[in-house]
Amino acid sequence: MEWTLEVVAIPVTDVDRAKDFYVDRCGFTADLDMSPFEGARLVQITPPGSRCSIVLESGLPESPGQPRMAPGSLQGLQICVTDIEAARKELVERGVVVGPVRHVGPSGWADGKGAEPWNSFMFFQDPDGNGWIVQEAPAPLAER
């Protein structure tokens, strides 16, 4: 049996603002925008080429046994791209505030791409402060 990670809930204060950020600024695809009942809303969005989506919601009850995360509390969501410099340029051109490309070494984080595969990163936050990591992968997911 496969256990596939397919949806991650992102805690936000304003679903419309978050949807605009992820679709218009980040270039994600809006897959679903629905209201399962009055006062509730679900928006499902997928990064280009990803097998996992994010969901933005409002007005839904907490899931049983799952406390609600505060907006901005989700950190470390990671997306992989095959050209980190091109991805950074695209995000900046779309108006996303993105840190420089960095790599990690013996002395900690340093500016610039890493010399080895899998060691080039950039970081950004959504309007609520949820933190994202973008990592350069040596090949598209289908080829790994």
Side-chain angles (χ1 to χ4, degrees):
M1 169 176 33
E2 291 183 354
W3 290 43
T4 59
L5 179 62
E6 297 191 16
V7 180
V8 174
I10 308 293
V12 298
T13 55
D14 182 321
V15 172
D16 286 319
R17 179 180 73 167
K19 180 182 178 185
D20 289 345
F21 175 79
Y22 286 111
V23 173
D24 297 338
R25 300 270 175 105
C26 295
F28 293 11
T29 300
D31 305 313
L32 174 73
D33 189 337
M34 66 168 292
S35 177
F37 53 85
E38 189 173 334
R41 184 170 172 209
L42 290 165
V43 175
Q44 188 167 322
I45 301 169
T46 306
S50 180
R51 295 180 183 168
C52 184
S53 300
I54 63 171
V55 67
L56 314 168
E57 57 91 358
S58 66
L60 293 175
E62 289 181 13
S63 299
Q66 303 291 311
R68 189 173 304 280
M69 291 182 288
S73 65
L74 192 57
Q75 301 297 315
L77 289 165
Q78 191 159 320
I79 297 176
C80 289
V81 298
T82 55
D83 185 338
I84 199 158
E85 291 163 332
R88 185 179 187 284
K89 182 176 187 272
E90 181 179 331
L91 288 174
V92 168
E93 287 175 352
R94 290 174 165 268
V96 177
V97 176
V98 184
V101 172
R102 306 189 88 190
H103 67 279
V104 67
S107 300
W109 288 100
D111 287 344
K113 288 181 69 166
E116 57 285 317
W118 297 102
N119 193 13
S120 298
F121 302 86
M122 64 180 168
F123 305 86
F124 70 93
Q125 294 183 329
D126 74 8
D128 284 294
N130 295 300
W132 289 82
I133 302 166
V134 181
Q135 179 181 30
E136 186 173 77
L141 181 59
E143 297 174 18
R144 290 187 251 139

